[in-house]
Amino acid sequence: MVSVAAAAAVVAAGLAWWQGGGDPAVTTAAVRPLPAASPPAGPSLAASLRQALARTPAADFTYEGGLSQSDFYADARGRIAHRRGGAELAMTVISPASENRPVEVTVRDGRPGRVPEGVADHARVIAVLASTGTAAALAAATTGVNRTGDVHRGEVPATDAPQDVQELLRDIAGGWSRDELARSTLVWTLTLGAHGLPSRFAVEWRAPVQGAVLTSSWTTAYSGWRGAQ
């Protein structure tokens, strides 16, 4: 399980947004209902994805994402390996927390190595939201998946997400209760490439704040899938 131990540092960058420090009208996203769900069911997609990752668990990746109306965002690139219980990463992270300078970070068992705390917060977020395990878990929680070619898309209440994702979102929001979290949703998009392995995974968190719906997003692209290293 990934835990954002320094939750206050994460929230410091985004708290003004959540508590009305910005102008929601600038980044308000209209919520459009997804088209009617069609096969395959999410659990079936999750099972096939996990089988593919068990055979070929490692890849190169690029990532970008963060909170709407906040300077809590980062770009990263490096290597990721799907492991039972969480992803392992060796990456370079660039963010305002590093004064936009690249910082080398490794993550094992959800814990970043020795890096500045602001960068460590990003590493914890990336370890969860760039994880192919998270993609499989969100698919498993989705009763119906909309599919167009190799692109699969679904939506779940945030409280149906994996526990580590829920904990991460609660920390980002400054300690939301389960009821508060339940009013937000996660929309995920998974694009599969050769051998049923992911080429792109995107997550949008849509949360109601002061009469608006704000969308934060995280997107990861994968390439060079290979065996364990």
Side-chain angles (χ1 to χ4, degrees):
M1 180 181 298
V2 175
S3 173
V4 180
V10 177
V11 174
L15 191 56
W17 162 58
W18 285 106
Q19 294 185 342
D23 177 7
V26 174
T27 54
T28 297
V31 177
R32 298 180 178 86
L34 293 175
S38 59
S44 174
L45 173 63
S48 62
L49 177 57
R50 286 168 175 150
Q51 289 175 359
L53 292 168
R55 295 188 297 268
T56 314
D60 301 316
F61 80 96
T62 59
Y63 158 99
E64 60 180 2
L67 304 181
S68 298
Q69 255 182 317
S70 154
D71 65 355
F72 189 79
Y73 63 89
D75 295 323
R77 64 176 57 244
R79 301 183 304 278
I80 187 168
H82 176 76
R83 300 279 187 255
R84 188 180 295 273
E88 290 187 2
L89 305 98
M91 59 187 169
T92 301
V93 177
I94 300 175
S95 74
S98 67
E99 299 180 344
N100 293 315
R101 296 174 181 171
V103 177
E104 300 295 325
V105 187
T106 58
V107 179
R108 292 186 176 85
D109 298 323
R111 294 189 293 271
R114 267 192 188 286
V115 290
E117 189 54 45
V119 177
D121 290 330
H122 283 296
R124 295 182 185 102
V125 172
I126 296 168
V128 174
L129 294 176
S131 169
T132 49
T134 297
L138 287 176
T142 306
T143 55
V145 175
N146 296 285
R147 178 179 178 181
T148 303
D150 293 326
V151 180
H152 303 76
R153 189 167 183 255
E155 181 174 354
V156 295
T159 44
D160 285 351
Q163 193 62 37
D164 57 352
V165 175
Q166 292 188 44
E167 290 176 0
L168 185 67
L169 299 180
R170 284 177 176 176
D171 283 347
I172 288 172
W176 271 3
S177 68
R178 179 178 175 82
D179 286 345
E180 288 173 316
L181 188 64
R183 292 196 289 271
S184 67
T185 60
L186 291 169
V187 177
W188 57 268
T189 304
L190 178 65
T191 304
L192 299 181
H195 309 295
L197 291 161
S199 61
R200 183 179 180 274
F201 173 48
V203 182
E204 293 182 354
W205 184 27
R206 299 179 177 179
V209 178
Q210 297 185 350
V213 176
L214 301 181
T215 301
S216 297
S217 61
W218 300 268
T219 302
T220 306
Y222 311 91
S223 62
W225 282 101
R226 52 197 178 269
Q229 296 178 321

